[in-house]
Amino acid sequence: MFHYTTKENDMTVEQLLRERWQAGKKTVHELRMEKGVKDVEGEPLDWRSPLPTGTRLTFEFPHAPSTYESDHADHLDVIYEDEHILAAVKPAGIATHPATPGEKGTFMNQVIAYVREQGGDYAEHVHRLDKGTSGLILVAKHPIAKALFDRLLEQGQITRMYVAEVDGEMRRPRGSIHYPIGRDRHHPSKRRVSPSGQSATTHFRVIRRTADSTFVEAELETGRTHQIRVHLSHIGHPVKGDTLYDGSETPDGNYRLTATKLSFVHPFTGELTTVELD
């Protein structure tokens, strides 16, 4: 369930859902059939009646549960949360979501446990992080938020920043890496720079250098699988711990790569929203 206050005069519920938010047909149909859009008194609204600016709406989703098994949420580090989304930290070494039904021990198992403790039953990740990568993941708390944030991600309107420790001394203080990325025909889970791959751009700047490594901040302009890992390896500076792409080994086997910042214009409030690790 979430609340929304209309910002335009004479907009109908139908227009808000179908035109402004472009919510999925299934979601719209279920909301209509279940009379899931109500006023402040809890009364169902006529979807075709124009509403004045400032009308307070309540959206309820009676049949929109997520199917993840609940796991312990004791150690879940939630950095940001509102009615629509939350951003929490995925530790390195665990998967973002289950690979098979009933699997536990992933980030989303912890998230759904947290959401259910608060009386909710829906949580779906907007993007993913590799198992060896740590950091911020954005999670939608209802189906309309999922649709809107998926669209923002697809359109490149969610800024995602990472910090990586890479092997060697990176001499260029900043730059951009423009290489297309495709599948590696010789390794099922590996990607490589390929002329026939999808276009990909990563911006970077050096933060500091050590005797055998360089710390860089990287920003994704596109979101290809393993993009930062592939790009940094291709220019001769693989992420430490990322042995798949020729990085040096780390004691714990995890990558020295952390998603540190998310920034976007919130589709429900219109405000620039930034979530950042300390």
Side-chain angles (χ1 to χ4, degrees):
M1 182 178 75
F2 73 92
H3 301 90
Y4 180 77
T5 301
T6 58
K7 297 175 175 58
E8 296 180 30
N9 198 38
D10 292 339
M11 178 171 280
T12 67
V13 172
E14 185 91 29
Q15 290 172 322
L16 179 64
L17 286 167
R18 294 190 183 276
E19 298 174 18
R20 176 55 53 81
W21 291 344
Q22 298 178 35
K25 291 182 179 179
K26 181 181 178 182
T27 298
V28 172
H29 176 73
E30 289 180 350
L31 279 170
R32 186 192 292 277
M33 292 299 99
E34 297 293 336
K35 298 181 178 180
V37 186
K38 302 176 181 179
D39 61 18
V40 290
E41 305 297 331
E43 294 297 322
L45 286 165
D46 181 347
W47 281 37
R48 296 184 179 181
S49 295
L51 302 172
T53 303
T55 301
R56 177 83 164 168
L57 307 177
T58 298
F59 292 79
E60 297 180 353
F61 301 91
H63 301 297
S66 294
T67 58
Y68 305 113
E69 295 286 339
S70 291
D71 214 337
H72 300 294
D74 300 347
H75 304 295
L76 185 69
D77 188 6
V78 178
I79 304 298
Y80 173 88
E81 185 174 12
D82 60 28
E83 285 189 295
H84 313 285
I85 55 170
L86 66 82
V89 180
K90 183 190 84 67
I94 69 171
T96 295
H97 59 86
T100 57
E103 180 184 351
K104 299 176 76 171
T106 75
F107 170 77
M108 286 307 301
N109 295 121
Q110 296 180 17
V111 171
I112 196 62
Y114 172 83
V115 168
R116 286 171 180 158
E117 286 174 0
Q118 296 184 315
D121 204 25
Y122 183 96
E124 297 293 339
H125 55 88
V126 175
H127 57 106
R128 293 182 283 262
L129 294 178
D130 299 327
K131 185 175 181 179
T133 302
S134 62
L136 292 170
I137 293 181
L138 197 61
V139 178
K141 294 172 62 178
H142 58 77
I144 295 177
K146 172 66 172 164
L148 266 63
F149 278 91
D150 279 351
R151 193 173 305 125
L152 288 182
L153 186 69
E154 182 181 346
Q155 295 172 349
Q157 296 182 40
I158 300 178
T159 299
R160 288 172 290 165
M161 305 289 289
Y162 294 72
V163 170
E165 182 183 8
V166 302
D167 289 321
E169 179 185 356
M170 188 179 287
R171 296 185 178 181
R172 291 175 61 192
R174 64 179 63 242
S176 297
I177 307 169
H178 307 281
Y179 292 113
I181 294 175
R183 292 183 177 275
D184 189 321
R185 291 177 296 173
H186 307 291
H187 195 297
S189 61
K190 193 174 182 181
R191 300 296 189 272
R192 67 184 182 90
V193 167
S194 169
S196 62
Q198 295 177 298
S199 62
T201 298
T202 303
H203 307 289
F204 70 88
R205 71 176 181 89
V206 171
I207 300 173
R208 65 185 176 92
R209 298 179 176 90
T210 69
D212 65 347
S213 69
T214 305
F215 285 82
V216 298
E217 183 178 68
E219 177 182 349
L220 289 175
E221 185 172 307
T222 52
R224 310 307 179 197
T225 301
H226 299 180
Q227 178 174 316
I228 292 176
R229 298 164 57 194
V230 172
H231 272 172
L232 290 174
S233 178
H234 187 74
I235 64 171
H237 297 284
V239 175
K240 279 187 172 292
D242 188 6
T243 55
L244 181 64
Y245 294 106
D246 301 320
S248 59
E249 293 185 1
T250 53
D252 58 11
N254 293 320
Y255 315 143
R256 298 300 180 252
L257 179 62
T258 301
T260 56
K261 183 178 179 180
L262 297 166
S263 185
F264 48 87
V265 175
H266 201 301
F268 293 96
T269 67
E271 297 177 353
L272 178 62
T273 303
T274 298
V275 185
E276 191 168 7
L277 293 180
D278 294 333

